[in-house]
Amino acid sequence: MRAHRRPISILVAALGGQGGGVLTDWIVAAAEHAGMPVQATSIPGVAQRTGATTYYLEVYPEDVAVGTEPVFSLYPMPGDVDVIMASELLEAGRTLEMDYASPERTTLIASTHRLFAIGEKTALGNGIFPTERVLEAAKALTRRLIACDALAVARAAGSEVNAVLLGLAPSDFETAIRESGVAVERNLAGFKAGMDVAAGGSAPEAAARPSWSAARAERARELGARGPTFLELLNRVEAEFPAPLHPMMGEAVARLIDYQDVAYVESFLERVRRVRAADPEGVVTERFARRLAVWMSYEDAIRVADLKTRARRFERIRREHGAGDDQVLRVTDYLKPDLDEIYGILPLAIGAPIARWCEARWPEGRPTIGQHVRTTSVLGYARVWALGRLRFLRPTSLRAQREFALIDRWQTAVLDTVALDASLAVEVADLATVVRGYGEVRRRLSAAFVRVLDDILAPAVARDREQGAGYVRSREVMRSARQKLLADEKGLEQALLEATRA
C-alpha cells in the first residue's frame, strides 16, 4: 500500500428513519463506481436519541498497489475523522461531544433542524438545548462547517434529508443514487438542492407569519362545517374585546370549537369576561385567556382518538414518507393509557365510584393498558374513530369535573390578585403552565399546583399585605415556584422552603 496515502474517514450520524443507511450505501456505491477501496460499518444504539445510529466509512482516494490489501478501521477514532455528516443538529453535537472532530482536518456537514431528544421532550419547562451553543462549538472544533436547514431544503425539493446532505458534499454521486433504485427522482432532486446550497444558494426561509385577517380565513377552512359558526363567534369576540386581543382570542375560539362545541366556547368567553372586568389594562386578561384556552383543551382519550383518525394526519404521514397514491401505507399507533384516563371519560355518576375503588386499590399509581392499534386497518380505525366521537360525554365526565375544579380555584386566585397587583396576577395566571402531562405525572403536578396556591401564594400575599410594602416578594416567590416546578416536578419542596424564608 502506498505509504503516503491514508483513507478518507467519514462519520454519518443519523436518527432512525432518516435514511442514514441509504446515505452510507450511496457513498459506498459512488466509491466503488470510481474504483476506490471502501469499507462501511454501523453502530446502532443510543436509545435516548430515538434509535440514533452511527455509520462509519473509510475510502482510499486512489487504487492501492496491485496485490496489496488495504487496511481499514472498523470504528472512528477521536480527532481522526475527515468528514462528519449529521442528519440533525443535536446529532452533530453528539459527535463533537465524543471528540471525533478536529479543527485541523474535519469538515462538518449538518442540518440545523431539530428533532428533540427524550430529555428535551420530558422537561416540564423549556428543555430545548440551545441551537446557538451547538453551532458555536461546531465552528470552533472543526476546520469547516457546512450547515443549513436540510429538512426545509428537502421539503422544498420533495425529497429527504439524506439526499440533501449528500448534495452538500461537492462530489459526483448521481450514478450511485440512480443505481440504488431507491426513490431515484426524489433523491436526485434533494441531491441537486443540496448542491445548490453548497454552491452558495440560499436555503428556503421559514414562511412569514400570516396576518390575522388571513389566518382567520384559514382557521375557518380548517374547521370545515364549523367554519361559519366560528366566524360568527369571532365577530362577537372582535366587537367585545380590544384589537390587541383579537389574534389570541381568535385562535382560542378556533381551538375550543374544534375541541368541543359552541357551548364550550361560551363558557370560555364568560370566564375571560370576568377577568376582563377586573383588569382595565388587559394585561392579565391576555395571559389568562391564553392559558385558559390551552387548559380547557386538555388531551383526554377522546381528543387523542379524534386527532389520530383525522384525514389530514394520514395525508401528512403519506407526504412525509413520500408514499404515492398507488402505495399501501400502514400506521400503527402505540397507546398506553392508565386506568384514570379510561374511566375519566365516563360520566361523573359512573366514573366516580370506579375511581374511588381504583384509587384505594392502587394508591401510588394506576396500571396502564398497552395497545398497538393499526389505524390504517378497518377494525383498528373504527375502534379509534368511535372513541373520538364520544366528545358529547366530555362535559359531564369525571375528568372534566376534576379539571374544572382546578380551573375554578385558579381563576379565583387570578381575580383575587388582580385587585391587588396586576404583575402578581400575571404570575398567578402563568402558574397554569404547571398543570400538564398525562396520567400519574399530571396527577402529581395538579397536587403541586394546589399546594402552591395554598401554601405559597396565600401566605406570601398575607405577609406582603401586612407589611404594606407592595407585592414584589409575592411575585418573586410565585415566579420562583413556577420555574422550579417546570424544571423538575420534585422542586415543590425547595420552593416551599424558599417561600418560608422569604
Side-chain angles (χ1 to χ4, degrees):
M1 187 173 62
R2 300 176 186 178
H4 67 282
R5 302 299 295 177
R6 65 179 298 277
I8 297 172
S9 54
I10 305 171
L11 182 65
V12 178
L15 300 178
Q18 289 189 324
V22 175
L23 174 57
T24 302
D25 292 342
W26 285 337
I27 299 174
V28 170
E32 291 176 341
H33 189 268
M36 299 177 182
V38 60
Q39 176 179 277
T41 58
S42 64
I43 307 172
V46 197
Q48 290 298 308
R49 288 294 291 137
T50 322
T53 300
T54 297
Y55 303 86
Y56 181 64
L57 305 92
E58 288 193 352
V59 182
Y60 274 86
E62 58 183 68
D63 292 340
V64 297
V66 177
T68 303
E69 289 291 333
V71 178
F72 293 104
S73 174
L74 294 175
Y75 51 86
M77 296 297 293
D80 194 41
V81 177
D82 295 297
V83 179
I84 296 175
M85 306 178 76
S87 63
E88 185 267 352
L89 189 62
L90 209 59
E91 284 302 291
R94 184 164 65 87
T95 63
L96 297 174
E97 185 180 32
M98 299 296 289
D99 290 332
Y100 289 128
S102 166
E104 290 76 32
R105 73 186 322 158
T106 305
T107 295
L108 173 59
I109 302 168
S111 176
T112 57
H113 80 281
R114 289 301 326 279
L115 294 176
F116 300 125
I118 300 298
E120 293 175 301
K121 292 179 180 179
T122 56
L124 296 175
N126 183 2
I128 300 174
F129 193 84
T131 297
E132 297 75 14
R133 291 183 61 185
V134 180
L135 293 176
E136 289 172 3
K139 293 175 183 177
L141 299 175
T142 63
R143 182 176 63 87
R144 184 186 179 197
L145 172 64
I146 303 173
C148 73
D149 187 342
L151 181 62
V153 176
R155 292 292 175 261
S159 185
E160 298 298 333
V161 170
N162 56 353
V164 175
L165 292 179
L166 190 67
L168 290 174
S171 305
D172 185 8
F173 289 100
E174 288 195 36
T175 301
I177 294 176
R178 292 186 186 280
E179 291 180 352
S180 71
V182 178
V184 173
E185 295 305 321
R186 292 176 58 242
N187 286 323
L188 283 176
F191 172 75
K192 292 175 181 176
M195 289 287 286
D196 290 341
V197 173
S202 59
E205 297 181 358
R209 188 178 183 87
S211 64
W212 173 238
S213 60
R216 63 180 295 184
E218 179 62 25
R219 296 296 174 274
R221 286 193 295 270
E222 291 172 354
L223 289 169
R226 298 185 178 197
T229 304
F230 161 69
L231 292 176
E232 291 177 8
L233 286 168
L234 194 56
N235 289 335
R236 288 170 47 194
V237 167
E238 292 177 347
E240 183 176 353
F241 294 92
L245 295 179
H246 292 173
M248 182 276 299
M249 293 289 287
E251 295 288 359
V253 170
R255 182 185 184 106
L256 294 174
I257 198 171
D258 177 65
Y259 180 80
Q260 189 62 35
D261 52 26
V262 174
Y264 206 67
V265 176
E266 294 286 3
S267 67
F268 163 78
L269 294 176
E270 181 56 34
R271 290 178 181 273
V272 176
R273 289 188 191 102
R274 291 181 60 191
V275 174
R276 172 65 178 159
D279 175 41
E281 299 298 325
V283 177
V284 181
T285 304
E286 191 277 338
R287 198 69 59 91
F288 173 80
R290 184 185 299 274
R291 306 307 184 202
L292 178 62
V294 174
W295 197 338
M296 287 182 65
S297 54
Y298 59 87
E299 291 192 349
D300 56 8
I302 298 171
R303 178 63 167 176
V304 171
D306 180 26
L307 294 176
K308 285 187 176 297
T309 52
R310 294 192 177 188
R312 289 199 303 272
R313 179 190 182 226
F314 295 106
E315 292 169 0
R316 174 180 55 79
I317 295 173
R318 181 175 290 277
R319 182 176 62 253
E320 290 179 352
H321 287 78
D325 294 337
D326 58 340
Q327 292 179 297
V328 176
L329 177 71
R330 293 182 178 179
V331 177
T332 301
D333 284 292
Y334 294 79
L335 308 173
K336 198 175 181 180
D338 67 6
L339 291 181
D340 277 15
E341 294 177 87
I342 295 173
Y343 58 66
I345 67 175
L346 298 175
L348 178 62
I350 300 174
I354 298 175
R356 286 194 294 270
W357 184 85
C358 289
E359 289 164 5
R361 175 68 177 79
W362 297 287
E364 299 302 322
R366 263 58 78 194
T368 58
I369 302 175
Q371 301 180 65
H372 300 170
V373 183
R374 181 170 291 177
T375 44
T376 47
S377 69
V378 174
L379 291 179
Y381 179 86
R383 284 174 56 195
V384 182
W385 179 88
L387 177 59
R389 306 282 77 74
L390 296 179
R391 67 171 69 186
F392 66 89
L393 293 175
R394 185 180 283 133
T396 59
S397 68
L398 172 66
R399 174 72 184 276
Q401 186 270 336
R402 291 180 170 179
E403 293 291 342
F404 279 96
L406 288 177
I407 290 174
D408 288 341
R409 292 203 60 179
W410 170 63
Q411 181 172 347
T412 299
V414 171
L415 289 170
D416 289 344
T417 52
V418 74
L420 303 174
D421 182 83
S423 297
L424 174 59
V426 168
E427 292 296 336
V428 176
D430 279 341
L431 186 64
T433 58
V434 166
V435 184
R436 57 177 63 195
Y438 302 90
E440 185 61 29
V441 172
R442 192 177 184 95
R443 288 192 292 275
R444 290 197 300 266
L445 290 173
S446 296
F449 171 85
V450 172
R451 289 196 65 187
V452 171
L453 291 180
D454 291 345
D455 300 339
I456 294 181
L457 175 62
V461 169
R463 184 169 55 247
D464 282 352
R465 182 186 294 116
E466 180 180 347
Q467 295 177 357
Y471 295 91
V472 175
R473 281 183 294 182
S474 294
R475 294 198 299 267
E476 293 174 350
V477 165
M478 288 298 295
R479 185 182 302 113
S480 176
R482 174 171 53 84
Q483 291 173 346
K484 283 181 170 56
L485 279 172
L486 290 176
D488 181 358
E489 63 174 284
K490 298 178 181 179
L492 176 62
E493 297 306 323
Q494 183 180 356
L496 287 168
L497 181 61
E498 290 185 1
T500 302
R501 294 173 176 173

